[in-house]
Amino acid sequence: MALKIEGLSVQVGGVPILKDIDLAIAEGEHFAVLGESGAGKSLLALSIIRLLPAGSRPEGRILLDGTDLNALTQQEMRKLRGRTIGMVFEQPWSSLNPAFSCGSQIAGVVRLHHAVSPAAARARARHLLRLTGVPVERYTAFPHQLSGGMQQRVAIAIALAGDPKLIIADEAGTALDQERQDRIAALLQSVVSETNAALLLITHQFRLARALCSRGAVMYAGQIVETAQMEMLLDRPRHPYARMLVDAVSPSGFRPIPGAAPEFASMSGGCRFQPRCPFAEEQCAKPPAWTGDVRCWK
Amino acid sequence: MWFQLIRHAALAVFTALGVATLSFMALAVAPGDPAEALAIARYGTAGITQQRIEQVREENGLNAPRSVQFVRWLGRAATGDLGRGMVRSVPVSEEISHRLLKTAQIAATAITLSLLIAIPCGILSAARPGRWLDRACSIAGLLGAATPGICTALLLTLVFGLWLGWLPVAGSHGASSLVLPVLTLAAANAAWTMKMLRASMIEVLEQPFIRAAYARGFPEKTILFRLALKPALAPVVNIAGAQFLLLLEGSVLVEAIFAWPGVGRLLVESALARDYPMILGCTLVFGLACVLVNSGTDVLAAYLDPRQVQE
Amino acid sequence: MTTSERFCIVAVAGIVVLALFGPLFAPNDPAAVSVENRLAPPSMRYPLGTDGLGRCVLSRMLHAGRVTIFAALAVTATGLAVGTSAGLAGGYWGGRTDAILNYVVNVFLSFPALLLALVFVSVLGPGLHHGIAALAAASWMRYARVVRGVVRTTRQLTYVQAALAMGAGPFHIIRFHLLPPAAPALWVMAVFGVANAILALAVLSFLGLGVVPPTPEWGAMIEASRPFLRTHPGLLLWPAGALIGFAATLHWAGETLRRRERLGLEVER
């Protein structure tokens, strides 16, 4: 399975948010999308599975093994959701239905995508619980009876229930403390490798990205500004924003990026980072072209 | 789990006892002499003498202190003997059970009908808020909840009974006379249930786990009618106990207006005639029914939304 | 404040004004019986016609409005007072007081309001004040439950402990720390309470257990319209319309207020 996004732009309520996104993820590859909150990362995730808020208009192509997802009907998309593409959400608590037991939620997704008997679905659910490190006795437990870390494991188990080829992890683990985050990261690593699924990790934590992914992209204000191998991206970033972002949290000191995050509604036509870029020049008023995986005139 | 059920049952019985006590206490402070009333019922106003009144008092144990009377009554009630009515000397329990069936007929039919209307309407109007179905249901719900049973009953009588002449307006002769009482009861019940369910569904549908369900590939129908409905029903079931109470009140009215021979009508007649044994028996039965329904809904609500912790 | 909410306030103010000042506009004496004029159609003298005893329907309607509103407010105020006190006591002192109060609340909750009224009236005899007492007795539990819940949670909060440590007396704590969080819910419940009291009073009067004739009341008027239902439906429709109109407006107001305060659904009933 290969995911290739070409020129994706998404308007929400008339305001252009995502602009000209180009991305490619190969089979089994682990890819990270980095950026600050509000950069549009979650919107990107939702665009891939086409669960955009009402009043959104996507443009461009999202090719999954050659099929353009943007051209499919909702009916056809539904067959892919959960089955070919699985998603893990930010807050573990909020993605679980409080009225159903954890095990039955996993089994429910299994039965949704595979024509198996209820008993077989339950067996598979138990298997997934073991895989994600949840004690099997917790099958009948309800979400509110579990700790946050356990809930996130169940959420990952549900995401795996359909046997997906691509897993999108949207800030999964951000709501947990550091230690639990690391454990969840290790879990993600192991399950994804075991099923040979591709991973699209969306996060603002560089640690996680470095630990889990081989390639990554940096997003700013709805655009991808640089794409590179993970070490290159984090150790020798080329785009001014990427450089300042990595610097900002480097061990040698906290250097915040001057200026404030831009408003999507009042974006100029040129380079979106221009107002805050220390290297800005006249030509930056025009939208910069890609030069070797970096969106910058320099 | 069993411990919870037993605890519930014990509490229910205890509450029913409280209901009985309350009824008895209320009647105990009634002005007038029950012995005298009984004597009048038996011998007629002209035939009473002081001697006869004392005789009646003796016979019925009315000279014992109230608390003793209560305990005696309770003891007899536990074995099913609720005494005899004063107006017509029939055993109270017999009369009530006879009438209970009739009341249950209209109550059960009304509940079923109102659920059949309210649940789909509540779900569908919450799924597409602001559209025509939602607007229509909201207005219908508002009016239905604001219309007291007496108005509904008489309006229906006017339209279907008198103007169109389709349905009988009184008595209990066969299925057609069931319609108006049931419709009256069902109208208000359906309106409240639908309003509650709609509001609850809207809240549930805004929750993140619903979007997660879509992301996992569930079709909208499954999400609406199973994944969202289960947690949404919990607050509705919580007030179902109160709704049942209203239904009982409604049946009292409906039976009075449509001359339906049920327990409610019996209670009104007894209250107006000051037939104390009958009143006590009826309130006990009503109270027990309410306690049972309240307990039942508590259990059901816990099943629907396990986050609710019983105190 | 949205337009819809503005409309709501206007509507509620409207019915309150109508109820309070309506009788001033009554063209005739609501109790004036005039047998030769009975069941008359609408005319200049009797804008809505006359009822079975020749009394002016419009005048009776307007006077009934005032009776109803005052009675409903009395019911709600009494229920609120009793319920809030009980809830405070149970929530604040906890332990056995709480257990006893809880039990009492449950017992009363198992009693339909109508039943309570029937029992009251069969004991005390008819009369509006008995009806009001009965309805208050049937409604205080809701307030008690909500107040108890709020007090129990608020009592644990640190700033209450701090106030206690600084020597604040129970009344101070209750007034400034425990009651205010419960206020929004109580307001919403009170609005619904008034609406439901209006309807319940009508039902009581219909059964002969509320107002005593000749006091006009919509429920009583509806009962009196029964013999003439086919020929003079107006006698039913006018008071029914008034009842539904008042109740629906208050329900709408309650719902709007509940949404505004972002409260749960349990406060509606």
Side-chain angles (χ1 to χ4, degrees):
Chain A
M1 100 89 230
L3 180 72
K4 196 157 186 304
I5 304 181
E6 290 175 359
L8 176 69
S9 301
V10 178
Q11 284 191 7
V12 178
V15 177
I17 308 237
L18 296 181
K19 200 153 183 314
D20 257 345
I21 304 272
D22 287 321
L23 203 64
I25 306 180
E27 178 162 349
E29 184 174 24
H30 300 190
F31 193 93
V33 171
L34 298 159
E36 300 169 274
S37 320
K41 313 195 292 290
S42 291
L43 192 63
L44 177 60
L46 291 176
S47 308
I48 298 178
I49 56 173
R50 286 192 52 205
L51 273 186
L52 295 165
S56 315
R57 288 196 315 117
E59 286 162 10
R61 305 202 299 169
I62 304 179
L63 297 167
L64 184 68
D65 283 334
T67 322
D68 182 10
L69 298 185
N70 268 339
L72 295 180
T73 63
Q74 280 292 336
Q75 183 88 314
E76 290 162 338
M77 255 329 281
R78 202 163 38 83
K79 296 208 196 86
L80 294 175
R81 289 192 202 116
R83 191 167 186 338
T84 318
I85 308 176
M87 192 147 164
V88 184
F89 294 87
E90 177 171 350
Q91 304 220 330
W93 166 232
S94 58
S95 74
L96 300 175
N97 192 326
F100 293 87
S101 72
C102 297
S104 67
Q105 292 192 46
I106 307 177
V109 177
V110 173
R111 288 202 71 193
L112 178 66
H113 296 297
H114 307 289
V116 293
S117 69
R122 281 197 293 269
R124 173 122 179 97
R126 283 193 286 269
H127 168 77
L128 285 167
L129 282 175
R130 273 192 294 268
L131 193 67
T132 50
V134 179
V136 177
E137 313 85 66
R138 301 306 225 143
Y139 187 101
T140 49
F142 289 93
H144 67 276
Q145 294 171 318
L146 301 179
S147 69
M150 209 60 85
Q151 288 169 359
Q152 190 62 304
R153 288 167 193 270
V154 173
I156 294 177
I158 297 182
L160 294 172
D163 239 349
K165 305 223 208 74
L166 166 66
I167 296 183
I168 305 178
D170 186 359
E171 306 269 17
T174 312
L176 303 169
D177 59 64
Q178 189 111 316
E179 190 191 321
R180 297 227 193 95
Q181 264 184 37
D182 289 339
R183 275 191 263 161
I184 296 291
L187 175 65
L188 264 180
Q189 174 89 296
S190 71
V191 300
V192 169
S193 322
E194 195 166 311
T195 60
N196 201 28
L199 173 69
L200 175 60
L201 177 71
I202 296 180
T203 182
H204 58 264
Q205 308 249 5
F206 295 152
R207 285 176 32 252
L208 286 179
R210 196 192 282 272
L212 287 174
C213 303
S214 55
R215 266 190 348 124
V218 174
M219 255 183 97
Y220 178 76
Q223 285 184 313
I224 302 226
V225 296
E226 182 169 349
T227 311
Q229 296 289 327
M230 193 52 67
E231 296 81 38
M232 266 279 300
L233 194 65
L234 293 180
D235 296 333
R236 289 185 301 280
R238 294 188 324 221
H239 190 278
Y241 171 71
R243 243 184 272 164
M244 297 176 79
L245 190 66
V246 172
D247 266 351
V249 291
S250 78
S252 53
F254 181 58
R255 272 184 290 254
I257 304 175
E263 299 255 348
F264 283 108
S266 53
M267 212 69 85
S268 67
C271 170
R272 289 185 169 186
F273 190 54
Q274 189 204 10
R276 300 163 76 183
C277 181
F279 307 107
E281 289 172 7
E282 266 183 39
Q283 48 179 326
C284 296
K286 287 190 313 237
W290 279 106
T291 41
D293 295 335
V294 182
R295 190 192 294 267
C296 186
W297 289 117
K298 320 299 291 273
Chain B
M1 223 271 285
W2 287 116
F3 180 67
Q4 288 279 10
L5 277 177
I6 295 182
R7 220 175 59 127
H8 250 115
L11 198 60
V13 169
F14 202 38
T15 313
L17 265 174
V19 170
T21 315
L22 193 62
S23 318
F24 199 91
M25 270 169 39
L27 289 178
V29 302
D33 184 2
E36 190 176 323
L38 259 173
I40 294 180
R42 194 187 293 184
Y43 301 111
T45 331
I48 49 168
T49 63
Q50 197 56 35
Q51 194 189 26
R52 278 185 168 163
I53 294 180
E54 292 312 315
Q55 192 183 24
V56 167
R57 200 192 301 279
E58 187 77 42
E59 271 174 33
N60 287 284
L62 289 168
N63 43 7
R66 298 276 188 202
S67 39
V68 176
Q69 284 185 41
F70 179 53
V71 174
R72 279 198 205 138
W73 177 78
L74 215 54
R76 285 198 297 262
T79 60
D81 173 18
L82 291 167
R84 307 187 81 87
M86 276 166 26
V87 174
R88 291 166 312 172
S89 191
V90 284
V92 170
S93 39
E94 202 180 283
E95 183 74 14
I96 290 185
S97 38
H98 195 68
R99 304 262 206 151
L100 202 56
L101 194 62
K102 284 287 190 191
T103 301
Q105 269 181 335
I106 48 174
T109 319
I111 294 180
T112 316
L113 182 62
S114 68
L115 285 178
L116 281 176
I117 298 177
I119 294 186
C121 283
I123 297 178
L124 292 174
S125 61
R128 309 258 184 274
R131 301 282 206 83
W132 69 267
L133 180 67
D134 182 33
R135 285 191 198 282
C137 284
S138 293
I139 296 182
L142 186 66
L143 289 178
T147 312
I150 48 180
C151 292
T152 325
L154 291 177
L155 283 169
L156 286 175
T157 306
L158 185 63
V159 173
F160 293 104
L162 300 178
W163 282 346
L164 295 174
W166 287 350
L167 298 162
V169 300
S172 129
H173 324 286
S176 58
S177 53
L178 203 68
V179 177
L180 286 185
V182 164
L183 276 182
T184 309
L185 279 181
N189 206 308
W192 274 109
T193 312
M194 194 225 72
K195 280 204 318 175
M196 289 276 130
L197 184 59
R198 175 186 174 276
S200 182
M201 278 290 286
I202 288 183
E203 279 182 20
V204 168
L205 287 175
E206 281 170 5
Q207 302 273 322
F209 67 81
I210 295 294
R211 194 182 55 172
Y214 277 107
R216 291 166 184 148
F218 283 101
E220 188 182 27
K221 219 162 52 137
T222 310
I223 294 184
L224 283 180
F225 285 88
R226 198 162 69 93
L227 301 179
L229 183 59
K230 194 171 175 214
L233 274 178
V236 178
V237 162
N238 264 328
I239 54 145
Q243 282 303 97
F244 183 74
L245 245 78
L246 289 176
L247 198 74
L248 284 186
E249 287 178 20
S251 68
V252 168
L253 279 178
V254 157
E255 290 171 14
I257 297 178
F258 293 108
W260 185 269
V263 184
R265 186 136 183 258
L266 180 63
L267 181 58
V268 177
E269 291 167 355
S270 312
L272 292 173
R274 306 245 190 148
D275 185 346
Y276 297 122
M278 203 61 89
I279 298 177
L280 268 180
C282 287
T283 45
L284 185 65
V285 167
F286 270 114
L288 272 174
C290 291
V291 167
L292 282 173
V293 168
N294 272 325
S295 297
T297 54
D298 277 346
V299 173
L300 188 57
Y303 162 72
L304 288 172
D305 187 352
R307 286 178 293 184
Q308 298 189 3
V309 179
Q310 307 295 347
E311 290 181 25
Chain C
M1 185 160 309
T2 72
T3 346
S4 154
E5 288 172 0
R6 270 181 246 256
F7 263 129
C8 216
I9 297 188
V10 169
V12 172
I15 60 174
V16 170
V17 164
L18 193 63
L20 291 179
F21 299 107
L24 297 174
F25 297 96
N28 300 294
D29 177 5
V33 173
S34 156
V35 185
E36 58 295 355
N37 270 321
R38 64 194 295 260
L39 299 176
S43 61
M44 278 302 292
R45 179 151 172 231
Y46 299 114
L48 293 180
T50 61
D51 67 357
L53 291 177
R55 297 176 290 198
C56 171
V57 170
L58 179 61
S59 311
R60 284 182 69 77
M61 291 262 307
L62 292 172
H63 275 89
R66 183 186 281 180
V67 172
T68 303
I69 276 277
F70 276 132
L73 285 172
V75 169
T76 311
T78 318
L80 249 179
V82 174
T84 312
S85 316
L88 271 171
Y92 190 75
W93 280 298
R96 257 203 304 174
T97 325
D98 189 28
I100 296 178
L101 278 167
N102 247 359
Y103 177 67
V104 173
V105 164
N106 276 327
V107 166
F108 270 84
L109 278 177
S110 301
F111 242 98
L114 199 55
L115 237 67
L116 214 47
L118 277 171
V119 172
F120 262 60
V121 166
S122 69
V123 163
L124 299 166
L128 185 57
H129 41 294
H130 295 150
I132 293 179
L135 289 179
S139 65
W140 66 273
M141 306 85 71
R142 283 174 229 140
Y143 306 111
R145 264 202 175 164
V146 166
V147 170
R148 173 184 178 267
V150 171
V151 170
R152 265 169 60 118
T153 24
T154 326
R155 206 183 67 192
Q156 326 271 22
L157 296 180
T158 338
Y159 69 86
V160 173
Q161 308 284 355
L164 274 169
M166 288 200 291
F171 288 110
H172 176 95
I173 304 251
I174 288 175
R175 219 188 114 202
F176 293 106
H177 298 303
L178 297 179
L179 271 186
L186 287 179
W187 273 111
V188 174
M189 292 180 86
V191 172
F192 277 103
V194 174
N196 295 328
I198 293 179
L199 295 174
L201 278 166
V203 168
L204 283 186
S205 306
F206 180 92
L207 290 174
L209 303 170
V211 295
V212 188
T215 317
E217 206 275 341
W218 293 326
M221 289 171 73
I222 292 179
E223 208 283 328
S225 78
R226 284 183 75 186
F228 318 108
L229 197 54
R230 189 200 296 260
T231 46
H232 294 81
L235 292 176
L236 164 69
L237 296 173
W238 288 114
L243 265 177
I244 300 177
F246 270 56
T249 308
L250 285 169
H251 276 164
W252 181 38
E255 233 165 86
T256 313
L257 191 59
R258 179 185 76 77
R259 259 192 302 243
R260 212 176 127 86
E261 301 285 346
R262 282 181 235 294
L263 290 167
L265 292 166
E266 64 285 349
V267 299
E268 275 200 29
R269 261 252 159 248

